[in-house]
């Protein structure tokens, strides 16, 4: 077996080359890692970009009917206002009572009931009026611009005044409990 | 010596390979990072646009929230106006209603009607008319009894009206009201 003789100079040279090569390999791996990370980030951003572009397009389409949306929101805010006061509620009922030509006898609000996301305001309405108009009043309470949930209803009539019906209603109005 | 040369040649080839790959990967990295930077900037611009012009989006969110809240609050609500109308329309002239009131019977809301009639037959006719209505589930007659005739009315009665399944209050998601008949 023939032994190879390597001079110390060659050995040093080979070591330098080996170290250099290792450094280069390390750099290449590092570069590759950075490259793959950047590719991953790029893909994520591209996907995000697509989603954002769709969001923007949706927003533009929504913007075209912004007026209708705001109108609808205002109407819903009337149904369930964020104001905790009861004056609007009383005013609304008063308007309905006047519209129905009723003789209002009592309009009392009771303590608010805290529910999940809103407050219920029980309100006792006592009045006298014509049977047909009471029907319209009840319809208005349910389907009107400010819906009420009627929980109790009592109606009676007096023989001496057959056209007038005495009506007592316990209804719940609602107020949004979300803080602005 | 030949093996030594082979190792040396492999070593040099590897070194050259690495030297060639490094700048190529480097160039691609720069390209990818430039593109990444551009897309990030574009996304930021879109986000800023969305942030600045989100009034309709906020309105829509609020609409959905309020619609859900109103429907939840109203829950299952009787259309009392409809029931009172049926009671009036089905009533024969020989019958008068004195009292209509809501009540609870086994956790079910019912309507109690107290009235008078010129005859027991008129009460039967009234019940028969009421039974024709699809809106009322059933009618129970608590009593019909003879009374001393007052103004031609010689019988008094009490009826219990069962409304059956109550509809969930639903808003028309287009803006106006409608009822869910399902």
């Amino acid at each position: 077996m023939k032994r190879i003789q390597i001079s110390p100079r060659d050995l040093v040279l080979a070591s330098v080359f080996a170290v250099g090569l290792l450094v280069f390999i390390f750099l290449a791996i590092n570069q590759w890692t950075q490259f793959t990370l950047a590719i991953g980030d790029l893909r994520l951003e591209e996907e995000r970009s697509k989603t954002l572009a769709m969001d923007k397009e949706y927003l533009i389409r929504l913007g075209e009917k912004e007026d209708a949306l705001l109108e609808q929101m205002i109407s819903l805010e009337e149904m369930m206002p964020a104001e905790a006061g009861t004056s609007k509620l009383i005013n609304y009922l008063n308007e309905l009572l006047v519209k129905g030509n009723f003789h209002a006898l009592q309009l009392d609000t009771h303590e608010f009931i805290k529910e999940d996301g809103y407050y219920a305001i029980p309100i006792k309405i006592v009045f006298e009026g014509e049977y047909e108009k009471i029907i319209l009043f009840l319809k208005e309470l349910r389907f009107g611009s400010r819906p009420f949930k009627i929980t109790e209803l009592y109606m009676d009539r007096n023989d001496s005044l057959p056209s007038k019906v005495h009506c007592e209603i316990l209804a719940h109005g609602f107020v949004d409990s979300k803080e602005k | 010596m030949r093996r030594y040369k082979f190792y040396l040649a492999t070593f040099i080839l590897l070194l050259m390979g690495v030297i060639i790959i490094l700048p190529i990967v480097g160039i691609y990295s720069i390209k990818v990072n430039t593109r990444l930077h551009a897309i990030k900037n574009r996304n930021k611009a879109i986000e800023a646009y969305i942030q600045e012009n989100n009034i309709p989006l906020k309105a829509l969110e609020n609409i959905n929230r309020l619609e859900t809240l109103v429907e939840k609050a109203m829950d299952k609500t009787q259309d009392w106006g409809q029931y009172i109308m049926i009671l009036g329309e089905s009533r024969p002239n020989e019958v008068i209603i004195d009292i209509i009131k809501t009540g609870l019977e086994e956790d079910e809301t019912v309507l109690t009607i107290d009235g008078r009639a010129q005859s027991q037959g008129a009460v039967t006719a009234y019940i028969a008319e009421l039974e024709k209505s699809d809106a009322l589930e059933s009618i129970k007659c608590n009593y019909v009894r003879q009374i001393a005739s007052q103004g031609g009315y010689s019988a008094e009665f009490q009826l219990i009206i069962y409304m059956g399944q109550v509809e969930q209050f639903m808003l028309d998601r287009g803006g106006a009201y409608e009822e869910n008949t399902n």
Side-chain angles (χ1 to χ4, degrees):
Chain A
M1 182 136 175
K2 195 179 174 184
R3 288 191 65 184
I4 299 163
Q5 293 291 320
I6 304 169
S7 67
R9 187 175 156 268
D10 286 347
L11 201 64
V12 169
L13 208 65
S15 302
V16 169
F17 268 116
V19 170
L21 182 65
L22 282 174
V23 168
F24 272 112
I25 288 171
F26 172 76
L27 282 175
I29 290 169
N30 186 48
Q31 187 79 282
W32 182 254
T33 311
Q34 295 298 322
F35 177 69
T36 49
L37 281 176
I39 289 278
D41 283 353
L42 183 68
R43 283 192 188 135
L44 284 177
E45 281 297 320
E46 276 173 344
E47 274 172 29
R48 199 162 144 259
S49 179
K50 277 180 198 166
T51 314
L52 283 170
M54 282 196 289
D55 287 351
K56 189 182 172 185
E57 199 183 315
Y58 178 61
L59 192 65
I60 290 168
R61 272 190 282 126
L62 271 185
E64 286 167 9
K65 44 181 180 176
E66 187 177 329
D67 291 345
L69 284 172
L70 291 175
E71 206 174 295
Q72 197 182 345
M73 192 178 76
I74 289 165
S75 136
L76 281 161
E77 280 175 347
E78 265 178 42
M79 286 184 189
M80 181 134 340
E83 296 154 36
T86 53
S87 59
K88 276 192 176 176
L89 197 77
I90 299 286
N91 285 346
Y92 175 74
L93 287 171
N94 259 328
E95 275 174 32
L96 291 186
L97 289 170
V98 169
K99 209 159 80 177
N101 204 19
F102 297 122
H103 177 212
L105 298 170
Q106 190 187 338
L107 211 52
D108 281 347
T109 52
H110 297 211
E111 274 208 21
F112 286 24
I113 301 165
K114 175 94 179 83
E115 299 285 355
D116 183 21
Y118 64 92
Y119 291 106
I121 310 168
I123 185 159
K124 178 91 184 243
I125 314 160
V126 183
F127 60 96
E128 283 174 352
E130 289 170 24
Y131 191 82
E132 287 75 18
K133 287 188 175 164
I134 291 175
I135 291 170
L136 293 177
F137 180 75
L138 294 173
K139 289 262 178 200
E140 192 67 31
L141 285 187
R142 192 178 193 273
F143 300 105
S145 59
R146 178 116 200 222
F148 285 80
K149 183 173 179 165
I150 297 171
T151 53
E152 283 173 32
L153 174 72
Y154 175 89
M155 288 165 74
D156 66 25
R157 59 181 285 284
N158 194 325
D159 278 344
S160 58
L161 258 171
S163 63
K164 291 281 177 197
V165 176
H166 173 87
C167 186
E168 294 181 16
I169 294 169
L170 182 65
H172 285 184
F174 306 103
V175 170
D176 186 1
S177 66
K178 188 190 175 191
E179 287 175 17
K180 281 194 170 178
Chain B
M1 193 65 189
R2 195 178 282 171
R3 186 184 284 175
Y4 174 69
K5 279 182 181 172
F6 172 75
Y7 285 139
L8 192 66
T10 312
F11 179 81
I12 290 166
L13 277 172
L14 263 171
L15 190 64
M16 282 171 68
V18 170
I19 288 168
I20 292 164
I21 288 166
L22 259 179
I24 292 171
V25 174
I27 288 165
Y28 272 105
S29 284
I30 291 166
K31 276 188 177 178
V32 166
N33 278 312
T34 311
R35 184 163 163 69
L36 183 64
H37 189 66
I39 291 178
K40 272 186 177 173
N41 281 344
R42 197 175 67 196
N43 287 350
K44 271 185 192 168
I46 296 174
E47 275 175 341
Y49 175 87
I50 291 171
Q51 201 66 36
E52 281 166 21
N53 300 281
N54 66 352
I55 294 169
L57 204 62
K58 291 265 176 205
L60 190 67
E61 280 172 12
N62 213 12
I63 285 168
N64 288 335
R65 188 183 69 82
L66 285 170
E67 278 179 339
T68 309
L69 219 54
V70 170
E71 284 172 0
K72 194 170 95 176
M74 289 296 281
D75 194 25
K76 290 184 172 175
T77 310
Q78 286 93 346
D79 183 358
W80 294 113
Q82 181 70 13
Y83 296 133
I84 302 298
M85 193 166 74
I86 293 166
L87 295 183
E89 281 175 350
S90 311
R91 184 180 63 87
N93 288 333
E94 299 82 41
V95 169
I96 55 165
I97 299 169
D98 289 318
I99 296 171
I100 299 173
K101 64 182 176 193
T102 53
L104 273 178
E105 221 172 79
E106 291 171 6
D107 289 336
E108 192 186 339
T109 307
V110 294
L111 266 179
T112 308
I113 303 166
D114 289 289
R116 284 169 288 162
Q118 288 176 1
S119 64
Q120 293 199 4
V123 179
T124 313
Y126 186 32
I127 294 170
E129 272 306 305
L130 288 174
E131 279 174 343
K132 285 180 189 168
S133 169
D134 293 333
L136 310 176
E137 191 184 58
S138 62
I139 294 107
K140 186 175 97 181
C141 181
N142 262 1
Y143 61 81
V144 186
R145 56 183 170 226
Q146 288 294 127
I147 53 166
S149 182
Q150 289 175 344
Y153 296 98
S154 56
E156 64 177 14
F157 63 91
Q158 189 178 63
L159 303 180
I160 308 286
I161 311 277
Y162 297 88
M163 272 80 71
Q165 203 180 348
V166 183
E167 291 159 356
Q168 166 66 43
F169 182 88
M170 295 291 281
L171 288 169
D172 175 12
R173 299 287 171 157
Y177 285 102
E178 76 170 7
E179 284 176 84
N180 184 8
T181 49
N182 294 326

